[in-house]
Amino acid sequence: MKLKLEDKLKIITMYEGGDLISSISKKFKVCESVIRGIERQYREHGIESFKAKGKNMKYSPEFKMEIVNRVLNGDSKNSIASELCVNVGMIHAWVKKYQELGYNGLTTKQGRPRKMKDKNIQQKIVNNSNKLDDKDKIIKELEERNTQLEMENYLLKKLRALVQQRNGQQNEKK
C-alpha cells in the first residue's frame, strides 16, 4: 500500500508522540521497517523530503553507478535511499541491472516508445518493413534448412549407433 503525504505526517506525529512502531505499523498496515524508514527520512531531511518530486525523475548513469558501487561496497540500500531521498525499489532495480548487464544496464532507456505521427516517418517504417519482410523470409528459410540439417544429423547418429550395435553383436557370435 502506498502511503500518502498525510499518512506519513500522521506516522511521524504518532512516533514522536510515543506510540510504538508495532502499533503504528498495524494501524497503517505496513511493515515496521517502512515506519523506521519514514522516521529516518524525516529525521535526516525533514518534511520537504516527503513532498512529491515530480514524476519520471531521470538519474544519470554516473549517479546510478555511484549508488550501485556503494551498495556493492556494503552500504545498506535503505540507508542510501533515505540519505538521497531515492526510492529503495529503484536502487534494487539498478543493482540488479548492473549485475545482469553491467554499466550498459544503467544507461539503457526505458519506457514506451513515442508515437510517430509524421507521415514521412511512417513511410520510412513501411519501407523498412518491406526490407524486414525480405529478411524475415530469408531467416525463415535458413531456420527451416537448419531444422532439416539437425534432423539429418540426428538420423545419421542413430544409424551409426545401430550399425555399431549390429557389428558388436556379430563379433560376439564369432
Side-chain angles (χ1 to χ4, degrees):
M1 179 176 126
K2 185 168 174 126
L3 294 172
K4 297 179 181 174
L5 176 62
E6 300 83 36
D7 295 332
K8 292 178 182 179
L9 295 176
K10 286 179 188 175
I11 288 171
I12 292 167
T13 305
M14 291 174 71
Y15 183 81
E16 288 179 340
D19 290 3
L20 296 174
I21 290 178
S22 58
S23 65
I24 298 171
S25 69
K26 287 177 185 174
K27 179 177 180 179
F28 289 94
K29 298 177 183 173
V30 293
C31 298
E32 293 181 12
S33 62
V34 172
I35 304 298
R36 286 190 201 95
I38 290 171
E39 187 275 326
R40 184 183 320 120
Q41 186 175 347
Y42 172 72
R43 186 172 11 100
E44 291 177 6
H45 301 288
I47 294 174
E48 293 298 316
S49 65
F50 294 117
K51 295 188 178 168
K53 296 172 189 66
K55 289 188 175 186
N56 300 329
M57 290 289 296
K58 296 193 181 197
Y59 298 97
S60 70
E62 293 79 22
F63 177 76
K64 294 175 187 178
M65 189 66 213
E66 182 182 325
I67 291 178
V68 168
N69 283 332
R70 286 182 59 184
V71 170
L72 295 177
N73 289 332
D75 288 358
S76 163
K77 293 173 189 169
N78 288 329
S79 65
I80 295 171
S82 65
E83 175 186 327
L84 301 173
C85 296
V86 175
N87 188 321
V88 178
M90 287 180 17
I91 294 176
H92 284 289
W94 293 341
V95 171
K96 184 177 178 183
K97 281 186 178 181
Y98 178 76
Q99 290 171 338
E100 291 174 358
L101 305 171
Y103 182 78
N104 290 337
L106 302 177
T107 61
T108 56
K109 293 187 177 183
Q110 292 182 345
R112 182 180 230 173
R114 64 183 180 91
K115 292 183 179 180
M116 295 186 201
K117 294 181 181 176
D118 188 1
K119 290 183 181 179
N120 293 335
I121 294 174
Q122 290 178 348
Q123 186 61 37
K124 288 179 184 177
I125 291 173
V126 170
N127 291 340
N128 287 339
S129 67
N130 290 339
K131 291 177 186 176
L132 289 177
D133 289 343
D134 293 340
K135 288 181 182 179
D136 288 342
K137 287 177 185 177
I138 293 170
I139 289 172
K140 188 173 182 179
E141 290 172 4
L142 289 172
E143 287 175 344
E144 290 173 358
R145 178 71 176 142
N146 189 32
T147 303
Q148 181 183 1
L149 290 172
E150 286 176 345
M151 207 178 331
E152 288 177 11
N153 192 18
Y154 175 76
L155 291 173
L156 289 172
K157 285 181 181 180
K158 284 291 187 182
L159 179 63
R160 182 177 180 201
L162 287 172
V163 168
Q164 287 178 347
Q165 184 181 14
R166 184 177 289 166
N167 287 341
Q169 289 175 353
Q170 288 177 356
N171 287 339
E172 290 176 5
K173 289 181 182 178
K174 292 181 180 178

